[in-house]
Amino acid sequence: MSSQTALSYQERAQRHQQPLVRRLFTIASSKQTNVVLSADVTTTKDLLDLADSVGPYIAVLKTHIDIISDFSHATVTGLKALSEKHNFLLFEDRKFVDIGSTVQKQYQEGIFRISEWAHIVNASILAGEGIVEALTQSMKAASHEHADERAMLILAEMTSKGSLAIGEYTKRSVDIARSFPSAVIGFVATRELSSMDAQNASPAEDFVIFTTGVNIASKGDSLGQQYQTPAMAVQGGADFIIAGRGIYASSAPVKAVKQYQQEGWQAYSERIKHN
């Protein structure tokens, strides 16, 4: 299966079999943005204020909900309201990595009740494909009122220095994703992965790639993060660029997110213009 990255978001939305991906591509096309904001702030007020201010310019808001020091029902209520107001999806970056039964409880229960509000979550396959099967069961259960609007990404690669998410691990990520097409919509990765073992792909395969570590002004930090520009990420196969500190830590987050939006969209437009 050849990559679908040369097609426009509109074309891919029309062809895609997964309802949430169709919505995601439609949002990106209508708002002309492929920005995912990694909102790594630590209070409900900061999270909601940030989401409200940059919401018009992003396709997805990515959270680490367990770092919110004053998490409550109001946190979730606010996120859901802003998702509707500004038309963006919610991605909880939980990185599930445990046995299946535990993951189901982490997803559905506990204080965060992630299944009730996050459109997208992600998981590592270090524990085997049981983790993906368990999340698929929870997401697509007949009793889940939002089953058509729940999906996952597999963490296939990382941008941190010395990451072990390479080689056989990445290959197995693709293999497992192909076994659960109703729930797995793509990968957190640094490149497009549909060309990997393409002979095993279905004709309709179209994985979505979210690429982390996007920063216009920095090449890395002291803890091993390695950055690339929006253009570099999109040219490498990213469908959506994940940016964090370059936006939320800026003295002018709205101005910053507009720059990421412009550069990300320009790179995407260049990628598809010869199709």
Side-chain angles (χ1 to χ4, degrees), residues 213-222 225-229 232 245-246 260:
V214 176
N215 193 304
I216 292 172
S218 175
K219 293 184 178 180
D221 66 13
S222 61
Q225 177 61 295
Q226 300 174 111
Y227 290 125
Q228 57 184 321
T229 66
M232 290 166 61
R245 280 170 278 185
Y260 281 83

Side-chain angles (χ1 to χ4, degrees), residues 26-198:
T26 299
I27 289 171
S29 181
S30 64
K31 296 176 72 173
Q32 295 193 354
T33 183
N34 50 21
V35 175
V36 178
L37 172 63
S38 184
D40 299 333
V41 294
T42 58
T43 69
T44 293
K45 183 180 186 306
D46 285 347
L47 177 61
L48 298 184
D49 285 351
L50 179 64
D52 198 17
S53 64
V54 305
Y57 314 105
I58 64 174
V60 181
L61 182 78
K62 184 173 78 69
T63 59
H64 283 290
I65 206 65
D66 56 356
I67 69 173
I68 301 299
S69 59
D70 59 347
F71 175 85
S72 70
H73 180 68
T75 311
V76 171
T77 301
L79 284 173
K80 291 169 70 174
L82 291 171
S83 170
E84 291 297 320
K85 176 182 177 182
H86 296 301
N87 192 26
F88 57 75
L89 299 185
L90 297 170
F91 168 18
E92 167 51 24
D93 190 3
R94 179 63 178 79
K95 297 184 180 71
F96 292 103
V97 54
D98 213 312
I99 62 171
S101 61
T102 298
V103 164
Q104 287 182 326
K105 292 174 183 177
Q106 291 171 326
Y107 180 59
Q108 296 174 282
E109 302 174 20
I111 188 173
F112 300 124
R113 304 188 74 85
I114 295 167
S115 67
E116 296 182 3
W117 55 270
H119 300 97
I120 302 169
V121 296
N122 59 355
S124 165
I125 62 156
L126 284 174
E129 73 175 54
I131 191 171
V132 179
E133 182 177 6
L135 284 170
T136 300
Q137 289 177 2
S138 295
M139 289 175 176
K140 303 307 173 182
S143 59
H144 198 319
E145 61 178 315
H146 302 297
D148 283 346
E149 293 220 329
R150 297 294 181 266
M152 78 182 92
L153 301 166
I154 290 180
L155 187 65
E157 295 180 319
M158 296 185 71
T159 54
S160 51
K161 185 177 180 180
S163 169
L164 300 180
I166 57 175
E168 185 63 22
Y169 171 89
T170 302
K171 180 181 180 299
R172 286 292 295 140
S173 295
V174 176
D175 292 342
I176 291 172
R178 287 177 172 146
S179 298
F180 297 92
S182 67
V184 179
I185 60 172
F187 306 98
V188 176
T190 61
R191 56 198 164 110
E192 86 61 35
L193 295 175
S194 287
S195 57
M196 186 171 287
D197 287 343

